[in-house]
């Protein structure tokens, strides 16, 4: 099944660079801003953006918390230095810590969500300051599994990698020359020491992608995937995650009382030619 994940990397790079240019330019933007976490997803977006807009028009913002690993900041700086893009480091600790102290019962999930939303607030503020469009850095695997924060890292104006599975992100990153250090390290939201995405999910990204591309792109039934030798427990867990996170992939649902409701009958690109 894994062969389905293969891409024409030259073509995909060309499509995504063109997508960024076209979607930004047609709404009046020539500059972009993104959060640089030190992870592979934001690194790949930075590489695509530098190619689309020129490094001088790309602002990468590093937003560590006090428990963020030193490696995360170092790897984000590697991207900045390699591409020559603009950058800014903003510590979010003084912004979120007062709220954490007011709510001492907060667990890791709540804290992580709060930090993700604080970071997105900063990005949208710099969007206004610099007249730069905010780029998303969530991949297709994360979005389908709900492994993102609504109105946090899941928020953006445009997203170039949202239709790439995680394993495809790694492949395109290799193709575009992203540092091997970022490609080879274990994916992590860096919320606490030793935390990794795959340990939290309970399965590898490679396994998830093979099942997801069969379910989503191949429209295969559960029985077909089972017959290919995959674990029923993992398949069920993935299907459940997709179903339970559907609300994160939608704009707020508006109750319909008029003839043309925003998001249903009135769709801006179709109706106004953007």
């Amino acid at each position: 099944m894994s062969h389905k994940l293969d891409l024409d990397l030259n073509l995909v790079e060309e499509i995504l660079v063109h997508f960024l240019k076209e979607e930004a330019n047609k709404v009046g933007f020539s500059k972009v801003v993104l959060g640089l976490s030190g992870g592979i997803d934001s690194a790949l977006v930075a590489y695509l953006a530098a190619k689309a807009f020129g490094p001088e028009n790309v602002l990468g913002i590093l937003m560590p918390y006090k428990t963020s690993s030193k490696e995360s900041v170092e790897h984000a700086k590697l991207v900045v230095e390699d591409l020559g893009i603009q950058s800014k480091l903003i510590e979010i600790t003084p912004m979120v810590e007062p709220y954490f102290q007011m709510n001492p019962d907060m667990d890791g999930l709540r804290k992580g969500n709060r930090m993700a939303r604080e970071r997105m607030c900063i990005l949208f503020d710099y969007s206004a300051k610099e007249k730069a469009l905010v780029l998303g850095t969530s991949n297709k695997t994360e979005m389908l599994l709900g492994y993102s924060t609504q109105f946090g890292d899941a928020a953006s104006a445009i997203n170039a990698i949202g239709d790439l599975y995680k394993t495809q992100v790694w492949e395109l990153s290799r193709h575009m020359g992203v540092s091997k250090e970022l490609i080879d390290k274990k994916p992590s939201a860096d919320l606490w020491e030793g935390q990794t995405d795959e340990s939290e999910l309970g399965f590898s990204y490679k396994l998830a992608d093979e099942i997801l591309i069969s379910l989503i792109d191949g429209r295969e039934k559960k029985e077909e995937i089972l017959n290919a030798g995959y674990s029923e427990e993992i398949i069920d867990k993935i299907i459940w995650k997709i179903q339970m996170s559907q609300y994160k992939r939608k704009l707020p649902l508006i109750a319909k009382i008029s003839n043309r409701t925003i998001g249903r009958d009135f769709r801006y690109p179709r109706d106004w030619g953007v």
Side-chain angles (χ1 to χ4, degrees):
M1 283 190 175
S2 60
H3 70 277
K4 298 177 185 175
L5 290 160
D6 293 344
L7 296 172
D8 180 335
L9 296 170
N10 287 316
L11 178 60
V12 170
E13 178 185 339
E14 184 182 337
I15 289 170
L16 298 182
V17 168
H18 179 73
F19 165 84
L20 287 172
K21 270 196 268 195
E22 183 179 32
E23 293 303 316
N25 292 343
K26 76 182 182 183
V27 289
F29 287 86
S30 58
K31 294 162 62 176
V32 292
V33 59
L34 72 153
L36 277 181
S37 67
I40 193 63
D41 299 307
S42 62
L44 176 58
V45 174
Y47 274 71
L48 290 165
K51 196 155 190 179
F53 303 101
E56 69 280 5
N57 294 312
V58 179
L59 173 61
I61 304 185
L62 291 65
M63 297 169 281
Y65 176 63
K66 66 180 181 180
T67 60
S68 298
S69 73
K70 186 181 172 187
E71 184 185 67
S72 294
V73 173
E74 288 171 353
H75 286 171
K77 286 180 177 177
L78 275 179
V79 174
V80 171
E81 290 162 11
D82 191 34
L83 293 173
I85 61 174
Q86 309 299 306
S87 70
K88 191 167 187 65
L89 190 147
I90 301 174
E91 288 271 356
I92 66 165
T93 306
M95 303 170 196
V96 297
E97 201 61 31
Y99 187 77
F100 294 165
Q101 290 172 2
M102 289 167 58
N103 296 274
D105 63 330
M106 289 182 80
D107 59 15
L109 176 63
R110 287 177 63 196
K111 285 184 176 182
N113 286 341
R114 179 68 183 83
M115 287 189 274
R117 291 182 178 121
E118 184 62 48
R119 289 177 174 123
M120 196 50 68
C121 282
I122 292 168
L123 291 178
F124 274 97
D125 178 56
Y126 269 83
S127 170
K129 180 184 178 184
E130 303 289 339
K131 295 182 173 55
L133 206 62
V134 176
L135 299 185
T137 59
S138 291
N139 63 64
K140 190 172 186 175
T141 308
E142 292 171 340
M143 292 167 70
L144 286 170
L145 297 177
Y147 200 63
S148 59
T149 299
Q150 193 177 27
F151 306 116
D153 53 311
S156 64
I158 54 175
N159 183 342
I161 67 166
D163 205 24
L164 291 177
Y165 289 102
K166 185 73 172 188
T167 45
Q168 295 173 328
V169 167
W170 280 317
E171 287 305 307
L172 187 58
S173 296
R174 286 189 190 94
H175 171 75
M176 293 195 69
V178 177
S179 170
K180 195 170 182 292
E181 290 176 73
L182 279 76
I183 294 170
D184 290 345
K185 74 175 183 178
K186 290 182 177 178
S188 171
D190 197 22
L191 299 178
W192 56 83
E193 191 176 350
Q195 184 257 346
T196 67
D197 294 358
E198 292 176 326
S199 63
E200 277 197 276
L201 289 169
F203 41 79
S204 70
Y205 275 123
K206 181 178 183 297
L207 177 58
D209 286 354
E210 290 176 7
I211 293 172
L212 284 169
I213 198 166
S214 300
L215 282 169
I216 305 301
D217 296 71
R219 294 177 178 265
E220 292 181 24
K221 303 292 184 190
K222 174 184 168 180
E223 291 69 29
E224 295 176 84
I225 302 170
L226 267 174
N227 290 337
Y230 291 90
S231 156
E232 183 170 19
E233 182 184 358
I234 301 281
I235 297 168
D236 286 342
K237 188 173 183 181
I238 285 174
I239 291 171
W240 181 82
K241 283 181 176 289
I242 294 170
Q243 291 172 338
M244 291 300 103
S245 60
Q246 174 61 13
Y247 72 96
K248 291 186 178 184
R249 294 184 291 272
K250 296 170 65 177
L251 288 171
L253 193 61
I254 296 173
K256 183 172 179 61
I257 59 169
S258 70
N259 289 332
R260 300 185 72 204
T261 306
I262 294 168
R264 297 198 194 185
D265 319 286
F266 179 76
R267 299 179 186 271
Y268 197 93
R270 184 192 71 192
D271 293 340
W272 295 88
V274 172

